[in-house]
Structures are given as C-alpha cells and as structure tokens.
C-alpha cells in the first residue's frame, strides 16, 4: 500500500463514514477539493469503498410481480437504467443479479455458471460473502478461436472469490468442429466429471443472447459462414450456446450436436435457475426462454420487461 492508497483511505473514511463534505475533507487533510475528488475515485477503483443502492422498486414493483405471475417465477427483479447505453445496462443487470444471487447461494451449494458479457458484469458486481463448501461449475466450454474473449475464466474466478468457492472448469471450446471429436473429449475423466456436476447443480446462473451476427457465440470462430447464416435465420436466441427458435426448439441440431455443456433439458431440471438478461434486442429471446420454463428467477431491465409482458 503506497502513500496515495493511504490518503485515499483517509479521504474515504472522512467522506463516507464521518459524513464530511468534500470541501471539509479537503480542509481536514490540507489539500484541494479536486484532489479529494480524485482520492475518492481512487478509493473506489482500489475497492476500498463499496457503494450499494437499494431500490425497493426492483423487489416489489408492479412489472416484477406481473412477470412472476405470467411466467410462474419465484422472483423477478426489474432494474432501472437511469442513463442509456450498453455499459450502463450491463452494470445495472450485474448489480441486480449479484443482489439476487446473494440471497440464493447457501453453504455447500453447487453453482453452475455460464459466460458472456452479462455474466461478466454480474461477476464484477459480486461482493464477498463468506461461505463454506460452495463449488462453481462452468456450464459450457469457453475457449475462443479468435481474439474475442468469453471472459469465462475471469468470470469463474470472480465467482470463486465472492463465495470462497472452488472452481470446476471446462478448458474447451464450446462448439467443436465435429461431433466425433466432441464425443471423444467428453469421455475424458475430468471433463465427464465437470459435465456431470453441471447437470447436478443446485443453482444455475445464465444469460440469454440474441441470435444475430454480432452476438458473442457467433463471432468467436466456432462456426463457418453457412452455419452463421442458418442460425441467424432460424434462431431467436441462445442459452448456454444452445440456439433455439421461436417455438423453443433447437434451431440447428447439427451445431447443437457439437456443443459442449449443459443441455436445455438438463438446465430446465435444476431447482433454482437465475436468468439475467436485458436490452430490447433480446426481448424475443428472453420471452421465449421464459415460455420454455428455463428460469425460476429473473433479472431484467424495465423497458425489456414491459416489452416482454406486452408481447407475451
């Protein structure tokens, strides 16, 4: 810890704990007010300060209750995004997902985790909650064939740090070049064990993607151009890289046969299934996933929730 860290901690305690204004902190420390602002920012970046906003509308709002009633959900949290933009949306979904997940995880739980931008935002928002015997299970492979990253290992590591957990990873691409290779790899003792753990998780935490050409699974080098066009044409979305159509059926069986990870049927069998997703471009995919019964718990943003209820 260097001198700037120590100054940042002093400023943070005076500002957040003692309730002094930034000007009063500046006078107390003998520095300028802009310096105090920079020290407070430094404290947040170094994770010396954790700020949580508890919005009661997310727990008890009308949209959430309507989603629960419509889709037989145990809980639906609807987050508000004051400012538009992808980063702001992901941050709010991550925060809301972290809060709900913290209520669900118990000592000894097997927690299945997928990957994606939303899952990474959730992982970054998780505060540390001491637990015993929790294991984090990767629900699908994540190695990329190009420069785009799934952040799968980073996501798993952040989950482990948050819950004092042990990681069970799948160091594989999520879609193989052919089904025969996938079948052989799945016979490996370690891989088979992790896949079996995924089918037995107490909680599955996952997101839903839109099946467009810019979506992460379609841009990681797993598929050729013909397959990408086929999925973009047939599918409305994917969960754990299992692409489904508007009726909830597998959109590309030949691709699904090469996919490593939990199946939709096995996902549906898990007792607690937390779906975190948002954005109007994903509304149809989220709606279809809810109609399929993939989720027991949901975190979604307000405009998307309204669109889902209107369309569903």
């Amino acid at each position: 810890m260097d001198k700037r860290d120590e100054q940042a901690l002093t400023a943070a305690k005076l500002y957040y704990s003692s309730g002094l204004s930034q000007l009063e902190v500046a006078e107390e420390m003998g520095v300028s007010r802009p310096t105090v602002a920079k020290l407070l920012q430094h404290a947040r970046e170094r994770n010396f300060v954790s700020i949580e906003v508890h919005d009661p509308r997310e727990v008890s709002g009308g949209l959430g209750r309507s989603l629960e009633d419509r889709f037989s959900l145990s809980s639906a949290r609807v987050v508000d995004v004051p400012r538009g933009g992808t980063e702001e949306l992901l941050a709010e979904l991550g925060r809301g997902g972290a809060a709900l997940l913290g209520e669900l995880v118990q000592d000894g739980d097997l927690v299945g985790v997928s990957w994606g931008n939303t899952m990474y935002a959730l992982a970054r928002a998780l505060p540390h909650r001491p637990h015993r015997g929790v294991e984090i299970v990767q629900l699908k492979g994540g190695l990329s064939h190009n420069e785009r990253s799934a952040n799968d290992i980073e996501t798993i590591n952040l989950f482990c740090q948050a819950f004092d957990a042990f990681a069970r990873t799948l160091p594989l691409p999520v879609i193989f070049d052919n089904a025969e290779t996938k079948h052989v790899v799945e016979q490996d003792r370690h891989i088979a064990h992790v896949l079996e753990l995924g089918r037995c998780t107490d909680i599955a935490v996952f997101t839903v993607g839109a099946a467009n050409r810019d979506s992460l699974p379609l841009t990681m080098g797993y598929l050729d151009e013909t397959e990408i066009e086929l999925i973009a044409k047939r599918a409305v979305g994917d969960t754990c890289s299992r692409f489904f159509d508007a009726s909830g059926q597998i959109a590309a069986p030949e691709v699904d046969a090469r996919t490593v990870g939990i199946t939709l049927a096995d996902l549906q069998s898990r007792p607690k299934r937390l779906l975190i997703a948002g954005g109007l471009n994903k509304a149809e995919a989220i709606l279809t996933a809810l109609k399929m019964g993939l989720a027991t718990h949901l975190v979604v943003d307000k405009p998307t929730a309204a669109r889902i209820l209107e369309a569903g």
Side-chain angles (χ1 to χ4, degrees):
M1 182 172 292
D2 58 23
K3 182 178 179 180
R4 185 168 180 78
D5 288 338
E6 293 178 354
Q7 287 182 313
L9 282 167
T10 299
K13 288 181 178 180
L14 290 171
Y15 183 72
Y16 293 107
S17 300
S18 300
L20 273 62
S21 68
Q22 290 190 18
L23 181 59
E24 290 170 330
V25 173
E27 293 174 350
E28 180 82 13
M29 296 181 65
V31 298
S32 67
R33 197 179 78 74
T35 297
V36 170
K38 292 177 181 178
L39 289 172
L40 294 175
Q41 178 63 30
H42 182 73
R44 290 193 291 271
E45 291 173 352
R46 290 277 283 143
N47 294 319
F48 298 151
V49 175
S50 177
I51 301 173
E52 291 188 65
V53 178
H54 299 280
D55 188 342
R57 297 172 300 177
E58 295 176 4
V59 179
S60 59
L63 284 174
R65 288 194 297 270
S66 295
L67 287 167
E68 291 167 0
D69 293 342
R70 182 76 59 85
F71 300 106
S72 300
L73 298 169
S74 298
S75 179
R77 305 284 175 87
V78 180
V79 301
D80 186 46
V81 185
R83 298 172 61 189
T86 301
E87 291 303 316
E88 290 78 10
L89 172 62
L90 287 173
E92 287 301 312
L93 289 171
R95 184 189 58 77
L100 182 49
L101 182 61
E103 299 173 15
L104 298 178
V105 176
Q106 304 294 322
D107 287 353
D109 276 347
L110 276 176
V111 182
V113 176
S114 67
W115 50 254
N117 294 327
T118 305
M119 291 298 302
Y120 189 39
L122 163 62
R124 294 199 306 271
L126 287 170
H128 178 244
R129 292 183 173 92
H131 281 78
R132 292 183 178 180
V134 174
E135 294 187 39
I136 306 299
V137 183
Q138 188 172 348
L139 291 178
K140 61 175 181 174
L143 296 181
S144 176
H145 290 311
N146 57 33
E147 69 279 358
R148 291 207 67 178
S149 173
N151 291 313
D152 56 321
I153 299 304
E154 293 89 342
T155 297
I156 293 291
N157 287 339
L158 289 169
F159 267 78
C160 288
Q161 292 171 22
F163 295 108
D164 297 331
F166 181 78
R168 302 286 189 175
T169 60
L170 285 172
L172 305 167
V174 68
I175 301 174
F176 275 75
D177 289 339
N178 61 73
E180 291 77 15
T181 302
K182 173 215 165 184
H183 178 72
V184 171
V185 170
E186 287 182 336
Q187 306 313 303
D188 175 84
R189 183 173 55 181
H190 168 76
I191 301 302
H193 180 58
V194 175
L195 290 172
E196 178 59 25
L197 288 176
R199 291 188 285 267
C200 299
T201 50
D202 302 292
I203 305 169
V205 191
F206 62 100
T207 188
V208 166
N212 56 54
R213 298 181 66 90
D214 295 328
S215 66
L216 192 56
L218 297 185
T219 57
M220 294 180 67
Y222 300 128
L223 306 170
D224 61 32
E225 185 61 29
T226 300
E227 291 168 333
I228 292 173
E229 289 183 4
L230 177 68
I231 290 172
K233 181 179 179 179
R234 291 184 183 176
V236 297
D238 84 283
T239 292
C240 294
S241 296
R242 305 285 182 175
F243 296 94
F244 52 82
D245 61 22
S247 64
Q249 301 301 308
I250 294 298
E254 61 277 17
V255 172
D256 198 70
R258 293 158 31 209
T259 301
V260 176
I262 193 167
T263 65
L264 296 183
D266 287 334
L267 178 60
Q268 288 169 321
S269 73
R270 298 302 78 228
K272 298 176 184 177
R273 307 181 299 278
L274 173 55
L275 167 58
I276 304 150
L280 291 176
N281 64 316
K282 295 184 180 181
E284 184 179 9
I286 298 169
L287 172 59
T288 304
L290 293 174
K291 287 181 175 180
M292 293 164 64
L294 292 181
T296 58
H297 298 71
L298 173 69
V299 177
V300 66
D301 63 290
K302 189 174 180 179
T304 306
R307 178 74 60 84
I308 289 170
L309 288 168
E310 179 183 349

